[in-house]
Amino acid sequence: MTQLTTVDATFLNAETGTTHAHIAGLGIVDATSCPGGRLTVPAVAELVRGRAHLAARPLRQRLVQVPLGLDRPYWEDDPDFDPARHIFEVGLPAPGTDRQLADTVGRLHEQPLDRSRPLWEMVLIQGLVGGRTAVYVKVHHAAIDGVMAAETLAALLDLSPEPRDLPADETAPLRAPGTAGMLGTGLLKTALHPVRSALSVARTAPHLAEIPGVAAIPGMGMVASVVQGALRRPAAPRAPRLSAPPTPFNEPIGRRRAVACGELPLDEIKQIRRGLGGSVNDVVMALCATALRKWLDKRGDLPDRPLVAAVPVSLRRSGAAAEPGNQVSVMTTPLATHVPDPADRYAAVRRDMDVAKRRFVESSGSWVREMSGLLPAPIAGAVTRFALQAAPSLSLRPLNLMISNVPGPQFPLYLCGAKVLGYYPISVVTDVTGGLNITVFSYDGKVDVGIVACRDLVPDPSEIVDHLVDALDELKDLSREALAGD
């Protein structure tokens, strides 16, 4: 028996007419080694059918709602699970350009998942120039976090064109409790919720300055410090109050999505890290700062203070099986788009990331879990959706955007014998987190960049990808100068 955690349920509750809480990936494969030189729906469906038991939850488990919404839903194995019902095929019109592919993926990403069956789907996109095939995979965030997504990919992919030997499926079908059991548990939890909520507030109080939006309220930093002192905890590194400035991508989002993909050489990013110091993630954040600065400045919309970026962080310590549900939190940091000098901008990004990481370690990122459980299940969904829809009209802007860096394998992988040439993550945009999301995934010597945006606010995010390439050249020059000076 597996019930959604409060964080899982929040991803379900957050969905509105303009916000869908699924995450996706776009794989580009060379299908010439497949039978007939083509990756087909039957071949992929058979692969999933034989490996679903090796993967994380989403492949064959569906939601079971508690009557009257009295408690969070449960997961159970779908007795009618058929991978072929989740896998589709479309073709690009000639000439099958990358721009046509991005437009197609944007339209696919706009569509919600069917909650009556396991929360995923896959689309094979044929006709891409160069004989390549694109594989778009979409999974609801309520069912998966970053580590679980990596485990699911590992289950479906091979290290060579030849499929590996697989263990037999010996797992017993997972079933949700009966109606009486769900109602009884829900009533008990509702009765005890005030106590649990009070405990969550007490645990959250020392970390108020970490919460986007709340941190910008005057005095919250002092309150957090006072609580930390009363609890005799070491004070976390002080950080300036973060207030997200207005940008073109922080208006109310619409239904449509725009997608862009690109890639950067991982060895060049590591070279920059060696020359300028810091981590690979610091370099990625600095690249994003420069690219966004150029994009905003070109439109005359560059704020005179830093943007505020949310950086997702995995809390999973020992694998998906040991910790059910989403184990994810968010680290908030300034992004020095307002600093004109490239060297000073890089130094500011490093400094701000260092402070943010030290503050996050002090808080353990627990505030996301605690905040998601403050409301009882019967009203949590309605209140969450109301808050998301009301945020734009109330001019609430806790964040400008989300930037995520996901480490991946540095060796080639294969799907049904087809080599995976690249894998571009495509995430979520909301009115609260901003209408622009940049996610990067390191794979086989490259950093694959996936950008998703509200099409009404950022019609062509490929321009940001171009600015990332220019930003890489700029930092490479700085790095060479630094190394030459040594």
Side-chain angles (χ1 to χ4, degrees):
M1 181 179 69
T2 304
Q3 187 177 27
L4 274 71
T5 67
T6 56
V7 179
D8 299 341
T10 298
F11 285 119
L12 282 181
N13 295 335
E15 293 198 308
T16 67
T18 58
T19 298
H20 301 307
H22 49 249
I23 56 178
L26 180 67
I28 307 297
V29 305
D30 178 4
T32 57
S33 58
C34 295
R38 185 180 180 89
L39 184 65
T40 66
V41 169
V44 178
E46 186 60 30
L47 177 81
V48 174
R49 186 175 291 107
R51 302 190 181 193
H53 64 289
L54 304 177
R57 171 184 304 128
L59 289 185
R60 61 182 185 184
Q61 291 181 9
R62 66 179 182 183
L63 290 171
V64 177
Q65 301 291 341
V66 176
L68 306 177
L70 199 60
D71 199 359
R72 302 186 304 275
Y74 290 81
W75 295 109
E76 74 170 10
D77 284 340
D78 183 359
D80 301 317
F81 174 61
D82 180 2
R85 297 176 61 212
H86 297 258
I87 304 173
F88 312 96
E89 185 175 45
V90 299
L92 296 177
T97 63
D98 289 343
R99 182 58 180 264
Q100 289 174 300
L101 174 63
D103 289 342
T104 298
V105 171
R107 289 191 291 271
L108 293 172
H109 207 62
E110 296 166 2
Q111 305 303 316
L113 286 160
D114 183 353
R115 292 195 183 185
S116 68
R117 58 188 187 181
L119 297 177
W120 68 277
E121 70 178 30
M122 181 184 299
V123 181
L124 309 185
I125 306 173
Q126 308 285 4
L128 191 59
V129 67
R132 300 166 297 160
T133 296
V135 182
Y136 169 80
V137 187
K138 175 165 60 182
V139 186
H140 204 288
H141 215 325
I144 202 167
D145 62 17
V147 173
M148 295 171 74
E151 291 189 359
T152 302
L153 285 175
L156 297 179
L157 301 176
D158 292 301
L159 300 178
S160 73
E162 297 300 322
R164 65 188 186 276
D165 294 330
L166 300 172
D169 182 5
E170 299 179 351
T171 58
L174 181 71
R175 292 288 178 259
T179 300
M182 289 192 291
L183 286 173
T185 301
L187 287 169
L188 179 60
K189 287 183 178 179
T190 300
L192 295 176
H193 190 271
V195 176
R196 292 200 307 271
S197 183
L199 292 174
S200 290
V201 170
R203 287 191 291 262
T204 304
H207 312 299
L208 289 174
E210 300 297 309
I211 303 173
V214 175
I217 300 174
M220 284 300 103
M222 181 177 296
V223 171
S225 297
V226 169
V227 175
Q228 288 169 354
L231 296 175
R232 297 183 178 180
R233 294 182 179 178
R238 294 300 298 269
R241 267 176 42 211
L242 300 180
S243 176
T247 75
F249 44 82
N250 291 114
E251 300 294 329
I253 67 171
R255 297 175 181 269
R256 301 189 304 158
R257 298 293 177 262
V259 168
C261 300
E263 58 186 50
L264 304 170
L266 181 58
D267 60 344
E268 294 185 5
I269 289 178
K270 290 181 176 179
Q271 174 189 334
I272 293 169
R273 179 198 65 185
R274 289 191 294 269
L276 300 181
S279 65
V280 166
N281 196 49
D282 291 339
V283 178
V284 169
M285 296 296 291
L287 292 173
C288 292
T290 299
L292 291 168
R293 174 183 170 84
K294 291 182 178 181
W295 189 89
L296 291 164
D297 192 36
K298 184 177 179 180
R299 288 158 177 76
D301 289 314
L302 180 64
D304 59 2
R305 64 181 193 268
L307 300 187
V308 179
V311 182
V313 180
S314 175
L315 301 180
R316 202 172 291 277
R317 298 289 181 250
S318 56
E323 299 172 292
N326 274 270
Q327 300 291 328
V328 66
S329 187
V330 174
M331 180 172 67
T332 308
T333 181
L335 194 65
T337 50
H338 65 304
V339 179
D341 181 76
D344 292 343
R345 191 183 316 125
Y346 186 84
V349 168
R350 278 193 63 191
R351 181 183 63 250
D352 291 337
M353 285 297 293
D354 180 65
V355 171
K357 285 183 281 191
R358 286 190 287 135
R359 290 177 64 85
F360 184 85
V361 169
E362 177 64 29
S363 70
S364 301
S366 60
W367 67 266
V368 171
R369 180 178 63 251
E370 302 295 352
M371 292 289 288
S372 66
L374 286 180
L375 296 173
I379 66 170
V383 173
T384 300
R385 286 186 291 274
F386 174 78
L388 285 172
Q389 292 169 334
S393 61
L394 297 175
S395 299
L396 297 177
R397 193 188 307 113
L399 301 165
N400 290 114
L401 77 161
M402 298 191 76
I403 302 174
S404 184
N405 178 14
V406 182
Q410 295 308 304
F411 45 80
L413 296 170
Y414 298 82
L415 174 68
C416 294
K419 183 179 180 180
V420 179
L421 305 175
Y423 183 82
Y424 308 91
I426 304 167
S427 193
V428 181
V429 294
T430 73
D431 285 316
V432 172
T433 59
L436 178 68
N437 185 301
I438 303 174
T439 305
V440 305
F441 180 78
S442 57
Y443 167 67
D444 197 21
K446 302 184 286 82
V447 171
D448 292 335
V449 181
I451 301 179
V452 61
C454 169
R455 186 177 288 275
D456 299 335
L457 305 180
V458 185
D460 184 14
S462 66
E463 188 179 347
I464 299 175
V465 174
D466 294 338
H467 290 325
L468 285 170
V469 175
D470 295 338
L472 183 71
D473 291 336
E474 181 179 82
L475 287 184
K476 282 162 56 181
D477 291 340
L478 283 176
S479 175
R480 282 193 287 265
E481 291 173 7
L483 290 171
D486 291 342

